[in-house]
Amino acid sequence: MPITYRSYGAHVSPPALDKLDAESTLQVASLRTCFVRRLTRSKSACSIHVWACFAGLLIMSGCVKKMAPFVPPPFEKAVQEERDPKRLASLRMVESGKKELQNFRLERAAQEFSRAIEIDATNPYAYFYFAQTRMRGHRMPEAVDLLDQAVARFDKDVKWKSEALTLRGEVLESMRDYARAKVSYQSAVKAYANNTRAKQGLTRLSSEE
Amino acid sequence: MWVVLFSVQSAKRVTDRMQSKTWKLASKVYVSPTILYPGVKFSQTDMIGYLDAFGYTKTESKVPKTGQWRKDFNRFLIGHRAFRDVNEEQSARVVSVRVDTGRVTGLTALDPTGLESSIDTLKLEPQLIGMISGDKLEERTLVSLNEVPQTLIDGILSMEDRKFYEHSGLSYKGILRALAHNVFRRGGKQGGSTLTQQLMKNFFLTNERTMSRKIREAVMTLVAERLYSKDQILEAYINEIYLGQNRAVAIHGFEQASQFYFSKPLPSATLSEQAMLVALISSPGKYSPYTHPKEALERRNVVLRVLLDEGKISQADHDEAVKEKIEPRGKKETQRTVPYFIDFVRAELSTRFESATLKEEGYSIFTTLDPILQEAANASVAEGLVSIENKLQSKNKNKAAAEETKAEPPIQVALVALDPHTGAIKAMIGGRDYAQSQFNRVWQAKRQPGSSVKPFVLARAFTPDASGRPHATPATILVDEPATFSYAGQEWTPGNFQNKYFGRVTVRTALEKSLNVAIVNLAASVGLEDLTEFFRQVGFSNVSPVPSLAIGAIEATPLELARAYTIFPNEGVRANPVSILSVSDPEGRPLEQSSVTLERIIPSTVAYVVTQVMRGALDHGTGRASRAMGLKGEFAGKTGTTNDYKDNWYVGFGRDLLAVVWVGYDDPRSIGLTGGATALEIWTRFMKRAFQKDTPGEFLEPEGVEWEEIDPELGCVSRSKNLLREVFLSGTTPKKCP
């Protein structure tokens, strides 16, 4: 069961990820071995082992779920599922902007996101990725303002809203505006309780207080 | 010795001229491409206008070739040309655009097998709106030899220099033969000069028919033939030859001529059109299809006959081309409709590029201008000025006064519209007539904004201070009675419009009715120093801490006011105006790119609350005439009228479009009318056109505000009958009425 982590910018990689992955793989391998043995050996000894492995796997899944880094649904999914032509046209501009951003052509990316906003000023993704562009260009105050606007537009999508708030917190943290960063992380957790990255942000800020 | 020196000098001149940057190419200014998507407003008329403006030819072919189109009921099938977008090349492809009831309803692209697949967006070719050129006033677009249709090359050689690839530059036999040809043969004169000679003459020499000039031409011709290949010389000729006049501007080169006469790139020109262009060589004035269509047709047919005689085209091609009518359709003269914007762009660029560079290097400049909104602005201003002048004349009942008014300079106007989220300037009108006055009042005229700054007083008052509480809410009661204010040892007594006072009023009422004394009282409660600092932060300059600041005793241009106002529709974030998206060199390499600069000025909650108050000012306050004119949808704004009616303003916005209109005289004197009677009318006409068949989006309500029903006169929470639903920052709703 591979665990995928999607990076959006200034993120901290969860250190336990690789270990979790290895342990999960080990559990699956054990279970497979058990079933093979079950065919060849006595029932009772192997069945206890099987159930023990199965129980362990269940517990581990719960832990993985709790400890796995939070990721919102992929942007591509939003594009695929969009039916409003105006929003779709705007999302296509965002796609174009993301390509420019990936190639570090920041002003071109900014222009594409601006165009996306001009087509549909309610498109939250345009503001979100525009903020990332500004982050890459070290224009942090603008990134914060754009994330504010993204958050306001993600009102129904709690995962993306939480992601935008988390990113906002990280930007504010990089600007040493710890008070506002803390508020951002708290809002992120309030929006989506399983946001581990936001929780880690709060932990970091608590340790610095 | 003289011959040697002259030869050496000629060699240097020829090589200098033939190097890559020999031509002074004007920079071209474009709008950003229109993007079509299903649902966008774009009528069949708009589509036909676009195809016509860009020289697309109508065809009956099932699948149009590049540069052609056909229409089946509501479906346009277009062989869309490749073109350069702001940042990249868009490749040529066949697309289908369905247009119904003024909107695009479907977009598909066809692959080479004819299979259609839906596409979400289609970018149209960007419209050229102007040139930045030098004093010599030439228009030229370079083309490489391999882009030139072979039949055009054949036509040039057949008509002007059949032995081009054989001779050494000077054709002595040709000269003699031409003389004999001109005297004894019918039709079709041949010049005595080779292409190389013509090129040298165009580069360096005059048209004088003297022996010395002929000798100089001969020497330069021989030098050029020695130093450059035939193809290089031919390419230079194709890009240099003079082919007509566009008013004061000379048209050089076949590519530019193709654009000028047929609104299409040279590779897309038909055989008939190519023959027409070749026909111009001997005398562009005499054979211009614009001024001498009959002679142009005859000369074109001569070219076609020569091509046929020399076996360069088939009989069938010849016959088809001869039947084709010559329909010159030069590009729309949009430069005349956006001269103020072009000047503004030039001024912006001059801070980063040398003037000579802009005029000579052939840059492509993509701008933010929206041609549809610009047209809306042009029409609104034209109609609005007529209406305003009628109002002025009807005010002057005395005939003598009316006659005096006619002799005075006319009333002036400025309009600027921009997208408040990105700062992109969408339309600009700097005055009523560019030919009369090139002074751009949008960004060069500093005038007093008057009451149009009052929303900023509210914005500061509604923003929580360090204690977390605002100075006021929309329901806070203000005193509106005659009063004298003291500051810095001085006294000042403001007055209300028509000396009307309303006693105790809410902040909302004070803004809706634009009550000076009440607003000054509000400013005093905030503190003048604090308010002054806020005005500076918003973007106003030369601001002093005086009470009259609250009613607009500062100076600002319409563009500065527009910039400041973006904070309201853009959720508290100011967007700096942007006019230029990118500048690239003739090869398409980017030289400069720019995008919006943003800065948060006030919380989004405060921006929303002030916007809601301004909605009331428009709906039933000093801006209510806009509703009487039929404006529908969510809009907010504020009138502005200065002392003695010298400046009339209206600043208003929907969620996605903001516009500022100023009306006044250049030499400040009374108009005699208010902003609500002049600037508001132009603004309303513009917004109605901009949102024709569309509704503006709703203002986004942020978290952190709440609505409460209050008594509109007492400003307290009430459950009585006469209620107003008012918005507040969360936790600042007023107490219940006693």
Side-chain angles (χ1 to χ4, degrees):
Chain A
M1 279 181 272
I3 298 168
T4 307
Y5 183 72
R6 192 183 296 275
S7 173
Y8 293 97
H11 291 358
V12 177
S13 298
L17 181 62
D18 293 340
K19 187 165 181 288
L20 283 169
D21 203 3
E23 285 181 358
S24 299
T25 308
L26 186 62
Q27 291 292 335
V28 169
S30 298
L31 195 57
R32 195 183 303 128
T33 310
C34 262
F35 275 111
V36 169
R37 284 185 187 155
R38 197 166 180 271
L39 294 174
T40 55
R41 293 193 183 173
S42 67
K43 275 190 185 178
S44 55
C46 203
S47 63
I48 294 169
H49 192 60
V50 164
W51 284 113
C53 290
F54 190 61
L57 201 58
L58 278 176
I59 294 166
M60 194 58 68
S61 302
C63 293
V64 163
K65 196 176 173 184
K66 276 189 182 171
M67 294 178 70
F70 149 74
V71 286
F75 168 72
E76 290 73 21
K77 188 165 178 264
V79 178
Q80 280 164 13
E81 292 177 354
E82 186 55 60
R83 293 291 169 259
D84 177 60
K86 187 175 174 184
R87 173 60 63 88
L88 190 53
S90 181
L91 288 172
R92 291 296 180 204
M93 294 291 115
V94 173
E95 272 184 336
S96 180
K98 282 185 71 187
K99 282 179 195 159
E100 301 289 1
L101 185 57
Q102 279 161 10
N103 290 319
F104 221 86
R105 289 194 285 255
L106 300 183
E107 280 307 325
R108 284 193 184 188
Q111 285 174 2
E112 295 297 311
F113 297 132
S114 290
R115 201 72 217 244
I117 291 168
E118 285 179 24
I119 292 173
D120 182 359
T122 65
N123 181 354
Y125 303 97
Y127 288 93
F128 182 84
Y129 288 107
F130 200 167
Q132 292 210 324
T133 309
R134 288 304 188 230
M135 283 167 59
R136 294 269 184 96
H138 303 288
R139 288 161 72 163
M140 298 306 191
E142 284 186 72
V144 172
D145 296 333
L146 287 161
L147 286 167
D148 281 344
Q149 292 178 290
V151 167
R153 285 152 176 79
F154 275 132
D155 58 331
K156 286 176 186 159
D157 192 326
V158 294
K159 288 186 178 177
W160 270 99
K161 184 174 181 176
S162 188
E163 174 68 18
L165 283 162
T166 306
L167 195 57
R168 185 176 182 273
E170 288 166 352
V171 174
L172 286 164
E173 201 178 331
S174 74
M175 292 164 66
R176 301 188 188 210
D177 190 340
Y178 300 122
R180 289 170 69 198
K182 186 175 176 183
V183 170
S184 246
Y185 288 136
Q186 286 170 338
S187 301
V189 173
K190 189 179 171 189
Y192 190 74
N194 285 340
N195 188 337
T196 52
R197 221 168 82 237
K199 288 178 181 173
Q200 286 165 0
L202 284 169
T203 306
R204 270 197 309 279
L205 292 178
S206 300
S207 65
E208 285 182 19
E209 279 173 359
Chain B
M1 182 65 178
W2 175 88
V3 171
V4 169
L5 280 172
F6 183 71
S7 299
V8 169
Q9 187 196 38
S10 297
K12 187 175 184 319
R13 288 184 75 189
V14 169
T15 48
D16 284 349
R17 195 72 173 89
M18 291 285 288
Q19 294 301 328
S20 57
K21 293 180 183 179
T22 54
W23 288 284
K24 291 180 182 173
L25 303 172
S27 291
K28 294 182 177 175
V29 184
Y30 298 91
V31 299
S32 58
T34 302
I35 298 178
L36 299 185
Y37 53 89
V40 75
K41 212 166 55 179
F42 199 77
S43 65
Q44 292 197 10
T45 310
D46 291 331
M47 178 55 86
I48 293 170
Y50 163 74
L51 293 167
D52 189 50
F54 283 87
Y56 283 82
T57 322
K58 202 168 181 186
T59 181
E60 296 304 319
S61 304
K62 197 176 171 191
V63 179
K65 293 177 190 168
T66 300
Q68 295 179 337
W69 66 281
R70 63 173 284 160
K71 184 168 173 284
D72 294 328
F73 301 107
N74 64 349
R75 182 182 182 228
F76 290 84
L77 210 57
I78 307 166
H80 210 247
R81 286 194 284 262
F83 66 92
R84 178 148 188 88
D85 188 2
V86 177
N87 291 319
E88 60 186 359
E89 293 285 337
Q90 300 285 335
S91 50
R93 55 178 176 169
V94 180
V95 293
S96 161
V97 182
R98 286 188 192 276
V99 182
D100 265 319
T101 56
R103 291 183 189 275
V104 171
T105 54
L107 288 174
T108 54
L110 277 69
D111 71 10
T113 65
L115 190 67
E116 279 192 61
S117 56
S118 71
I119 53 177
D120 300 317
T121 60
L122 173 67
K123 284 185 182 175
L124 302 183
E125 292 188 53
Q127 188 179 348
L128 177 70
I129 54 170
M131 315 270 278
I132 300 176
S133 57
D135 297 332
K136 207 173 173 189
L137 297 177
E138 292 177 354
E139 280 189 11
R140 180 185 281 107
T141 304
L142 297 184
V143 65
S144 62
L145 194 61
N146 59 12
E147 291 175 297
V148 179
Q150 185 58 46
T151 37
L152 182 81
I153 295 173
D154 292 338
I156 294 169
L157 298 179
S158 298
M159 293 298 292
E160 300 295 322
D161 191 352
R162 281 199 187 94
K163 304 280 187 189
F164 173 69
Y165 280 99
E166 296 165 26
H167 62 60
S168 59
L170 294 176
S171 175
Y172 309 101
K173 284 185 185 175
I175 293 169
L176 291 171
R177 186 169 59 247
L179 279 171
H181 185 90
N182 290 350
V183 171
F184 296 116
R185 296 273 293 268
R186 279 189 210 172
K189 290 186 180 178
Q190 274 212 355
S193 302
T194 63
L195 289 189
T196 320
Q197 283 175 277
Q198 290 181 45
L199 180 63
M200 292 302 112
K201 189 174 80 178
N202 269 271
F203 270 174
F204 305 110
L205 304 168
T206 63
N207 280 327
E208 56 176 326
R209 295 171 188 271
T210 60
M211 187 57 74
S212 62
R213 195 208 47 89
K214 276 288 187 186
I215 293 170
R216 286 200 302 273
E217 178 190 289
V219 171
M220 284 180 165
T221 299
L222 291 171
V223 166
E225 287 277 350
R226 183 110 173 100
L227 296 175
Y228 295 96
S229 68
K230 289 290 187 183
D231 281 351
Q232 285 174 311
I233 292 169
L234 181 59
E235 185 176 287
Y237 177 90
I238 284 169
N239 284 310
E240 172 60 25
I241 190 74
Y242 170 70
L243 290 172
Q245 203 70 21
N246 180 9
R247 292 192 177 83
V249 181
I251 304 297
H252 282 265
F254 280 90
E255 173 63 45
Q256 191 62 39
S258 183
Q259 297 284 355
F260 174 59
Y261 290 105
F262 305 118
S263 289
K264 57 174 68 168
L266 189 59
S268 295
T270 63
L271 176 60
S272 163
E273 289 163 347
Q274 291 169 35
M276 183 64 252
L277 293 175
V278 171
L280 288 166
I281 295 173
S282 58
S283 180
K286 186 176 169 186
Y287 299 121
S288 168
Y290 286 121
T291 53
H292 298 88
K294 189 168 167 246
E295 290 82 353
L297 191 72
E298 286 171 2
R299 185 68 182 165
R300 180 211 63 181
N301 290 343
V302 165
V303 174
L304 287 170
R305 192 164 71 235
V306 167
L307 283 169
L308 177 66
D309 289 344
E310 297 198 355
K312 304 295 183 187
I313 58 174
S314 67
Q315 185 70 53
D317 288 343
H318 168 271
D319 295 345
E320 192 182 328
V322 163
K323 283 182 210 164
E324 192 176 304
K325 288 182 189 173
I326 297 174
E327 291 175 332
R329 56 170 98 87
K331 279 207 184 353
K332 265 185 154 179
E333 281 290 342
T334 53
Q335 188 172 5
R336 278 187 299 166
T337 60
V338 294
Y340 287 109
F341 183 73
I342 298 292
D343 282 355
F344 179 74
V345 166
R346 188 186 290 131
E348 287 272 294
L349 289 170
S350 66
T351 61
R352 300 180 305 268
F353 295 90
E354 294 287 333
S355 174
T357 306
L358 286 175
K359 292 174 184 174
E360 297 171 8
E361 295 296 324
Y363 292 161
S364 292
I365 300 158
F366 286 92
T367 69
T368 57
L369 197 79
D370 183 322
I372 295 173
L373 288 178
Q374 181 66 43
E375 279 300 313
N378 292 344
S380 302
V381 164
E383 288 170 8
L385 282 174
V386 169
S387 173
I388 290 166
E389 280 165 347
N390 286 339
K391 286 178 190 173
L392 287 173
Q393 284 191 358
S394 65
K395 260 182 78 70
N396 296 322
K397 290 175 186 172
N398 182 310
K399 193 181 174 185
E403 289 299 324
E404 191 183 319
T405 306
K406 279 183 193 170
E408 289 168 343
I411 202 157
Q412 282 291 352
V413 66
L415 183 152
V416 63
L418 46 82
D419 183 316
H421 307 292
T422 64
I425 296 176
K426 296 296 181 182
M428 180 184 285
I429 293 179
R432 66 182 295 154
D433 187 346
Y434 184 80
Q436 296 289 326
S437 164
Q438 292 84 55
F439 181 60
N440 190 331
R441 292 151 191 84
V442 166
W443 69 283
Q444 292 179 303
K446 280 201 177 271
R447 304 294 289 240
Q448 287 199 352
S451 302
S452 61
V453 305
K454 285 174 180 168
F456 297 103
V457 180
L458 269 68
R460 182 60 195 92
F462 292 169
T463 302
D465 59 19
S467 69
R469 301 290 301 174
H471 292 275
T473 72
T476 300
I477 297 296
L478 301 171
V479 174
D480 185 55
E481 295 286 354
T484 298
F485 295 85
S486 302
Y487 67 100
Q490 297 177 63
E491 289 190 342
W492 174 62
T493 306
N496 279 357
F497 179 65
Q498 293 178 336
N499 272 321
K500 284 183 184 170
Y501 300 87
F502 291 80
R504 291 172 62 80
V505 296
T506 62
V507 169
R508 170 179 282 281
T509 302
L511 189 79
E512 288 180 2
K513 294 185 189 299
S514 202
L515 304 176
N516 290 339
V517 178
I519 295 295
V520 173
N521 273 319
L522 180 63
S525 75
V526 169
L528 286 181
E529 294 291 343
D530 207 328
L531 188 67
T532 305
E533 183 50 40
F534 179 69
F535 268 54
R536 288 189 189 122
Q537 196 185 359
V538 164
F540 296 114
S541 52
N542 295 324
V543 185
S544 302
V546 295
S548 55
L549 171 65
I551 56 172
I554 57 172
E555 288 196 329
T557 66
L559 191 62
E560 286 170 345
L561 200 53
R563 183 177 91 128
Y565 257 81
T566 57
I567 66 174
F568 297 120
N570 199 30
E571 300 145 55
V573 177
R574 187 185 62 206
N576 286 346
V578 174
S579 62
I580 297 164
L581 292 172
S582 74
V583 181
S584 52
D585 67 10
E587 281 73 46
R589 285 184 294 253
L591 300 170
E592 181 184 284
Q593 278 160 328
S594 57
S595 62
V596 64
T597 303
L598 302 167
E599 184 180 351
R600 178 167 293 288
I601 305 297
I602 53 176
S604 58
T605 47
V606 172
Y608 182 76
V609 172
V610 177
T611 299
Q612 294 304 313
V613 178
M614 278 199 278
R615 282 185 66 192
L618 185 146
D619 289 340
H620 41 255
T622 54
R624 62 186 177 277
S626 62
R627 295 299 188 196
M629 284 177 67
L631 182 72
K632 297 201 188 315
E634 277 194 23
F635 288 98
K638 184 69 186 75
T639 50
T641 309
T642 54
N643 277 353
D644 298 329
Y645 308 91
K646 287 179 186 172
D647 296 278
N648 283 180
W649 297 84
Y650 196 76
V651 189
F653 52 91
R655 188 191 66 194
D656 302 330
L657 184 67
L658 182 152
V660 176
V661 177
W662 168 85
V663 173
Y665 292 102
D666 282 340
D667 54 332
R669 55 192 164 90
S670 178
I671 304 166
L673 296 168
T674 63
T678 57
L680 175 65
E681 180 177 338
I682 293 174
W683 179 91
T684 305
R685 287 176 185 273
F686 173 69
M687 285 298 181
K688 283 179 69 181
R689 279 193 165 86
F691 289 98
Q692 202 174 21
K693 294 182 191 174
D694 243 338
T695 45
E698 293 178 0
F699 295 113
L700 189 70
E701 182 175 321
E703 286 181 7
V705 300
E706 55 186 301
W707 293 83
E708 187 59 83
E709 288 177 332
I710 64 165
D711 185 302
E713 289 181 10
L714 300 178
C716 48
V717 173
S718 174
R719 296 286 175 259
S720 65
K721 285 183 185 174
N722 185 27
L723 293 175
L724 170 70
R725 198 160 170 270
E726 186 59 89
V727 65
F728 301 89
L729 302 189
S730 292
T732 67
T733 52
K735 294 175 184 170
K736 285 185 185 170
C737 297

